[in-house]
Amino acid sequence: MTLDKRLGQRFLPYGANYLDWSDMHELREAVEHGVLFRYQTENESIASRLERRVAERLGAGHVLAVHNCTEALRLALIATRPRSGDLVHIPAVTFVAVAGAVLSSGLIPVLVDVDDSLSLDRTLLPPGTQRVIVAHMEGTVAALPQGVPYVVEDCAQALGARFPDGRHAGTAGYAGTFSFHHNKVLTSGEGGLVVTGDEDAWATMRCYHDHGSARVPGRYPTWNQDAYYGENFVTSEGVAAVQYQQFRHLDEVLAGLERMHAIAMEELPDRQGLHVLPRAAGDVKISLRFRWESRELRDAAVAALTERGIANWTLNKYLLPEHPVLTGRRSLYSDGFPWNLAPGGPLALSRDGFARTRDLLDRTLCVPLSPELPEAGQVLAVKAVRQALETV
């Protein structure tokens, strides 16, 4: 797809633009070896090499590759050794998979309203909170609550982001989870990672993700006498190989996003009714985020961009207080598990019933950046966005 056909907007997700057969050394190795199950390899598996590479790149103590980020969230929660029905505080604005991971772990999600950056508002957490999932939405690094024993960082959209002190997102809490879904920073179609600095947590996750086994590579699982049940979240060598190739390009993707974001900050119109939301130095700048003074202007901007073939999205779909899984406490279990373990009363913390959040989402618009384009192409792309917005 040529630049003039797509007006400089990404035709493929970020990492997908860097997929190349000539660069797929690990995938070729896995196929030629003929063993795609990570624990059946005679030498170090590609999945193990991926985990080691990620640990070095992110400064993480331990890394485990799994099928997807939802499984990674579940592993992080299960490793805390909760009781069925324990509460997990989650942001009111995030993908429903976060609530799904909590519920499928037998736990109860409590929605916590967000601040102006759409990150979980830590000031709303009650004393004694035990488990919190903080989502770094749209690559924005969210501040973590203090004094909470188990803070899980959902970094599905923030691979490579850093806190002001230099630590990578995902490494500051109890555990961090990452996604390689199709539209993430890097992609293997599906795929996930969980990282932690807690060795005992990692050991629990590793066993649980492989049927509770203490597997020795190249051998059939051996069982400890104190083994507990688990599930099968083990990644394949093929998926790990694609992820490994993608990691080679992480810095390239991040640098391209930084460059295009800087260009946009110089080129975008300064006009009434439109505010470009700022990005912190450590954010992964996957998109330009606009906030209009009314929903009508936001919707007009969506129409103007869409008419010109410029990719864009809104964030209303992430408002969990309006999702049927939460509003209807939906469950496939005949006894309503785990909702049947929930305490009485509303499971939400908000000062105004999420009215301010609804208003923020109604006025917010995102336009993706294109890290793979050369600088001249990025300038052209930003000008196309500017011209569309100037018609609103």
Side-chain angles (χ1 to χ4, degrees):
M1 185 71 72
T2 59
L3 179 62
D4 65 323
K5 293 283 182 61
R6 63 185 176 108
L7 293 177
Q9 298 311 302
R10 63 188 177 99
F11 174 58
L12 292 170
Y14 311 103
N17 289 284
Y18 297 83
L19 290 169
D20 191 306
W21 281 117
S22 65
D23 194 30
M24 308 301 288
H25 315 302
E26 293 76 25
L27 183 59
R28 185 177 296 108
E29 176 187 337
V31 172
E32 290 176 351
H33 190 207
V35 178
L36 296 179
F37 180 54
R38 70 170 295 180
Y39 291 125
Q40 204 63 39
T41 58
E42 297 173 359
N43 301 315
E44 184 184 33
S45 67
I46 295 170
S48 293
R49 281 149 52 186
L50 168 70
E51 290 163 351
R52 180 157 44 82
R53 182 183 182 92
V54 173
E56 293 170 354
R57 177 65 176 78
L58 300 185
H62 303 280
V63 180
L64 186 65
V66 293
H67 291 146
N68 53 60
C69 190
T70 308
E71 290 178 354
L73 286 168
R74 287 193 61 201
L75 282 172
L77 292 171
I78 290 167
T80 69
R81 308 300 289 267
R83 286 178 174 270
S84 296
D86 276 354
L87 303 181
V88 181
H89 291 77
I90 68 174
V93 178
T94 190
F95 186 48
V96 69
V98 175
V102 172
L103 291 163
S104 62
S105 301
L107 307 175
I108 306 299
V110 178
L111 300 181
V112 182
D113 211 345
V114 297
D115 56 25
D116 284 349
S117 71
L118 302 181
S119 300
L120 181 140
D121 187 345
R122 300 168 294 160
T123 66
L124 292 174
L125 294 173
T129 297
Q130 293 292 300
R131 294 172 181 84
V132 176
I133 297 176
V134 174
H136 301 301
M137 291 288 290
E138 291 281 316
T140 298
V141 179
L144 304 187
Q146 301 300 307
V148 176
Y150 303 113
V151 177
V152 178
E153 299 178 61
D154 176 8
C155 309
Q157 300 177 351
L159 178 60
R162 290 180 181 267
F163 289 96
D165 63 7
R167 288 180 297 175
H168 274 277
T171 67
Y174 172 75
T177 64
F178 297 87
S179 174
F180 285 76
H181 183 262
H182 182 63
N183 60 358
K184 299 303 188 291
V185 177
L186 301 179
T187 183
S188 51
E190 279 288 2
L193 297 168
V194 58
V195 309
T196 183
D198 187 315
E199 188 167 357
D200 290 338
W202 176 80
T204 299
M205 294 178 199
R206 182 178 179 274
C207 284
Y208 189 91
H209 104 296
D210 188 20
H211 306 289
S213 71
R215 191 184 293 267
V216 177
R219 301 182 190 175
Y220 195 80
T222 55
W223 310 106
N224 297 334
Q225 290 305 308
D226 60 350
Y228 40 82
Y229 71 84
E231 299 179 72
N232 180 9
F233 296 163
V234 179
T235 193
S236 74
E237 288 287 86
V239 172
V242 176
Q243 289 174 292
Y244 199 98
Q245 181 271 347
Q246 287 279 280
F247 252 88
R248 269 198 287 278
H249 298 279
L250 177 58
D251 289 331
E252 191 177 350
V253 172
L254 295 176
L257 291 170
E258 287 281 350
R259 184 179 63 243
M260 189 170 182
H261 184 267
I263 292 170
M265 292 301 97
E266 295 293 328
E267 291 279 348
L268 289 175
D270 181 14
R271 50 158 289 177
Q272 264 193 328
L274 172 63
H275 176 55
V276 182
L277 296 180
R279 289 282 196 178
D283 291 354
V284 177
K285 299 169 179 66
I286 64 172
S287 65
L288 299 171
R289 299 174 304 164
F290 302 99
R291 188 159 291 156
W292 298 83
E293 67 179 15
S294 69
R295 176 161 187 165
E296 290 72 24
L297 283 173
R298 195 279 307 270
D299 290 347
V302 168
L305 292 165
T306 303
E307 182 181 2
R308 290 162 174 78
I310 298 174
N312 65 90
W313 61 76
T314 59
L315 301 176
N316 299 72
K317 60 183 176 290
Y318 293 124
L319 186 61
L320 291 187
E322 295 183 352
H323 197 287
V325 169
L326 283 302
T327 58
R329 298 194 176 187
R330 309 293 295 278
S331 170
L332 288 176
Y333 285 88
S334 59
D335 63 355
F337 177 82
W339 291 114
N340 60 338
L341 303 176
L347 295 169
L349 299 172
S350 175
R351 295 184 179 89
D352 59 5
F354 304 104
R356 179 184 58 87
T357 296
R358 287 186 177 88
D359 176 63
L360 290 176
L361 294 177
D362 281 347
R363 297 187 289 112
T364 301
L365 170 65
C366 302
V367 174
L369 301 180
S370 303
E372 78 284 359
L373 292 176
E375 184 172 343
Q378 291 183 332
V379 171
L380 180 59
V382 170
K383 287 182 177 178
V385 173
R386 185 189 67 196
Q387 289 167 2
L389 296 182
E390 286 174 342
T391 68
V392 176

